[in-house]
Amino acid sequence: MTKAKRNGFLSRLGPGVVTGAADDDPSGIGTHSQIGAQFGYALSWTFTLTFPLLAVIQFVAAEIGRVTGRGIAANLRRHYPRPVLAVAVLLLLVANIINLGADLNAMGASLQLLIGGNIWVYTAIFGIISILLEVFMSYRSYASVLKWTTLSLFAYVAVAAVAHVPWGHALRSLVVPEFQWTAAYATGFVAILGTTISPYLFFWQAAQEIEEERRTHSKPLMKAPKAAGPELKRIRDDTLIGMGISTLVSVAIVFATAATLHANGTTNVESAAQAAEALRPVAGNLAFALFALGIIGTGLLAVPVLAGSAAYAISEMFGLQPTLDAKVRRARVFYGVIAATTLAGAALTSLGINPITALYWSAIVNGVLAAPLMAIMMLVVRNPKAMGKLTLGNVQTALGWGATALMALATILFFATL
C-alpha cells in the first residue's frame, strides 16, 4: 500500500474505531481486571466468541445511521410506538449516568494514585474538561481528538508485554474453553458480555455516521444507492478494526491481570484503580503507571461518548437533528443533556455512592435494554420501508440475531445468578 493510499485509508477510519475504543472504558477495564484476577485465563475464550457478534451489531447500528440518515432513536420514533422509544431512551439515560459516575470516579482515583491529591476535585475537573471539549469544539476537530485518544488503549498491550504472560497457555485459552460450573463463572461470563455489547455504543456509532455524512455533504445511502458499495465497505472495515482493537485490549487486560494478580493470589479487584495499585508490587512501577494512565486516557474518550449518546437519543426523541457542529444557542437541548449527564455522573461520586454498586445497577439496566433494543435494530435493518433496497444481508442477519439471542441469554443468566 502506497503512503497516499495508507493515509487516505487511515483518514476514513473514525466512528467504528472511536466506538470500539470507548467500549474499553474505565468501568470495563475494572470488570476485565476482576475477570483476570479471579479466573486467570479461564474466561478468555469468550472474547473469541463475542468479537464477531460485537462487530456485526455495531455494523448494524452504523448501517442504520448511514443508510437512513437518522439515528437509532429517530428510527424508533419513526417506525415504532412512542412508549417503546420513551422506555428505551429512559433506560439508556439511567445506565449512562451510572456509567459516567463510575468512569469519572476511576479517572479521579487513578490520578490520585499517580500524584496524590483529592479524588473529588480530579473527578470534577475531568467532567468539566469533557463537557468543554464536546460543547465548544467543532465536530471535525473533536473527532480528531477522539481518534488520537484511542492510542491510550495500547498502554494495556504494553502492560501485558511486561507482565511475563505464559503465552502458550494464554493463547490456547482463547480457543479452548476452561469451563467452571459455578455461579461465579456464569456471572463472569455475563459481565464480559454486559461490558462488551452496550446500548450506548449503538446510539453513538449510528449518530457518528450521520455526522460524517454531514461533514462530507453526502446523502443518506437510501437516496444515493450508487454510493452504497464503497461506503458500506468503509463502514465494515472501520467497524472491524475498531472492534478488533477493543477486543485486543480487553484480552490484554485479562492476560496482564491473570499473569500478575491471579498468579500471586490476588483474586478480588473492585475497580480499575485498585487493579492498577495491585499491579505495582507484582509487576513493577512501569506496569502500574501504564495501567493508571490508560484509565485516564480511555476515560477521556469514553465519558464524551456516554454523554453524547444520551444527548443524541434524547434530541432525536423530540424530533430534533442533533450535531456536534451546531452552535450552543441553536442546540440547547443537545448540549444541555451532555452537560447534565456528565455532571450528574460526577455528582454520584461526590455523594459517596459505591462505584461497584453503581456498576452493578448499570449492568442490570443495560441488560434489560440491550437485547430488546438489538431485536428492534435487527427489525429496522431488515425493513425495506426504513432501509429501501439496502436491507442487511442474510449472513449478517444470522450473526445479528445470534448476538441478540446470546445477549438475551446473558440477561437471563444475570438475573438467575443474582
Side-chain angles (χ1 to χ4, degrees):
M1 183 183 291
T2 65
K3 183 176 181 181
K5 286 185 177 180
R6 183 170 60 251
N7 290 338
F9 173 75
L10 292 175
S11 69
R12 287 167 63 80
L13 297 178
V17 169
V18 171
T19 304
D23 197 17
D24 287 307
D25 66 329
S27 60
I29 292 167
T31 299
H32 294 138
S33 299
Q34 173 59 28
I35 294 297
Q38 184 173 2
F39 300 103
Y41 306 97
L43 275 163
S44 301
W45 63 272
T46 57
F47 296 106
T48 305
L49 171 68
T50 59
F51 167 66
L53 304 180
L54 172 64
V56 76
I57 204 66
Q58 287 303 138
F59 177 80
V60 166
E63 186 171 356
I64 289 173
R66 186 65 182 89
V67 171
T68 68
R70 300 181 181 90
I72 302 298
N75 274 286
L76 290 179
R77 187 175 190 268
R78 187 177 178 87
H79 298 288
Y80 295 94
R82 294 296 171 86
V84 173
L85 170 63
V87 170
V89 172
L90 177 62
L91 289 175
L92 178 76
L93 184 64
V94 171
N96 282 16
I97 289 174
I98 295 172
N99 236 34
L100 280 163
D103 285 354
L104 287 166
N105 178 275
M107 295 162 70
S110 296
L111 188 57
Q112 184 185 50
L113 286 175
L114 289 168
I115 64 173
N118 190 308
I119 183 176
W120 316 122
V121 172
Y122 296 151
T123 299
I125 289 173
F126 283 131
I128 291 169
I129 288 172
S130 297
I131 293 171
L132 293 176
L133 289 175
E134 202 159 6
V135 171
F136 293 106
M137 289 185 74
S138 69
Y139 171 73
R140 187 183 186 90
S141 300
Y142 189 66
S144 179
V145 168
L146 290 181
K147 278 188 188 182
W148 282 106
T149 309
T150 62
L151 295 176
S152 63
L153 290 173
F154 289 98
Y156 297 106
V157 178
V159 172
V162 300
H164 304 294
V165 174
W167 288 106
H169 179 198
L171 295 175
R172 186 170 62 253
S173 70
L174 291 173
V175 293
V176 180
E178 299 176 26
F179 292 118
Q180 298 175 16
W181 304 105
T182 65
Y185 189 86
T187 302
F189 173 70
V190 172
I192 289 176
L193 285 176
T195 56
T196 300
I197 302 177
S198 301
Y200 74 90
L201 301 176
F202 312 156
F203 287 86
W204 176 263
Q205 190 164 353
Q208 293 311 288
E209 286 298 334
I210 300 167
E211 295 278 16
E212 287 293 315
E213 179 185 293
R214 292 179 179 134
R215 183 180 68 82
T216 57
H217 306 290
S218 304
K219 294 180 180 179
L221 292 180
M222 65 183 301
K223 296 181 179 179
K226 290 183 179 179
E231 271 299 286
L232 293 179
K233 181 181 184 303
R234 189 267 307 167
I235 291 172
R236 185 184 67 243
D237 293 344
D238 185 26
T239 302
L240 283 172
I241 291 171
M243 302 313 132
I245 291 172
S246 172
T247 302
L248 173 65
V249 171
S250 298
V251 169
I253 294 168
V254 170
F255 282 4
T257 51
T260 52
L261 305 184
H262 181 80
N264 286 274
T266 301
T267 59
N268 187 37
V269 173
E270 293 191 344
S271 69
Q274 185 184 340
E277 180 65 20
L279 278 173
R280 195 202 303 255
V282 295
N285 287 329
L286 176 60
F288 156 75
L290 287 171
F291 205 96
L293 287 170
I295 292 167
I296 295 170
T298 57
L300 288 171
L301 187 150
V303 166
V305 171
L306 283 157
S309 63
Y312 282 116
I314 289 177
S315 298
E316 290 170 3
M317 183 173 69
F318 290 112
L320 304 175
Q321 294 184 329
T323 173
L324 287 167
D325 268 335
K327 301 297 183 183
V328 176
R329 65 180 179 275
R330 296 179 65 87
R332 291 187 178 92
V333 172
F334 180 62
Y335 290 122
V337 173
I338 287 173
T341 52
T342 305
L343 293 175
L348 291 180
T349 299
S350 66
L351 292 174
I353 295 175
N354 185 297
I356 302 306
T357 302
L359 281 177
Y360 179 80
W361 286 104
S362 175
I364 291 176
V365 175
N366 274 322
V368 169
L369 177 59
L373 182 60
M374 290 164 71
I376 292 172
M377 286 168 54
M378 291 304 301
L379 293 174
V380 169
V381 82
R382 290 286 290 182
N383 185 352
K385 291 183 179 179
M387 304 290 289
K389 296 179 180 179
L390 299 173
T391 55
L392 193 68
N394 292 333
V395 173
Q396 292 165 323
T397 297
L399 286 172
W401 280 115
T404 304
L406 184 63
M407 202 64 205
L409 174 62
T411 304
I412 294 170
L413 277 174
F414 180 84
F415 285 109
T417 56
L418 285 179

